[in-house]
Amino acid sequence: RQMCIRDSAGRAWCVAVGRWTCEEHVLFLKGLEMHGKGWKKIAKLIKTRTVVQIRTHAQKYFQKLAKAKKNGQHGDLLMESRFGKKVR
């Protein structure tokens, strides 16, 4: 699904809502490698998500990685099980 947003200057754009696609997550991981926690820079890579959506996705992603590490799993396995394939 998509939602259209209009800013105070009257510019409009559409962003995705709901679950992240595999392609969006791959871009997220690439952005994370390139820019660290530079959410605005990562948002330029993922044109379908807002900065807030990216920050929220990152928070959940890091929580899942921490949980996987605590349980003795690898983070790649976590993403592999969700998308059915490795994303890195």
Side-chain angles (χ1 to χ4, degrees), residues 2-30:
Q2 285 192 339
M3 176 176 71
C4 292
I5 299 172
R6 188 173 301 276
D7 65 14
S8 59
R11 294 175 295 217
W13 66 96
C14 294
V15 293
V17 293
R19 285 195 157 286
W20 281 57
T21 65
C22 184
E23 292 79 16
E24 288 172 324
H25 186 70
V26 168
L27 288 172
F28 167 77
L29 292 175
K30 286 180 183 178

Side-chain angles (χ1 to χ4, degrees), residues 26-32 34-35 39-48 54:
V26 168
L27 288 172
F28 167 77
L29 292 175
K30 286 180 183 178
L32 205 54
M34 291 169 50
H35 305 296
W39 309 128
K40 288 181 182 180
K41 291 179 181 177
I42 294 172
K44 290 180 181 179
L45 292 175
I46 310 170
K47 299 189 186 326
T48 55
I54 291 166

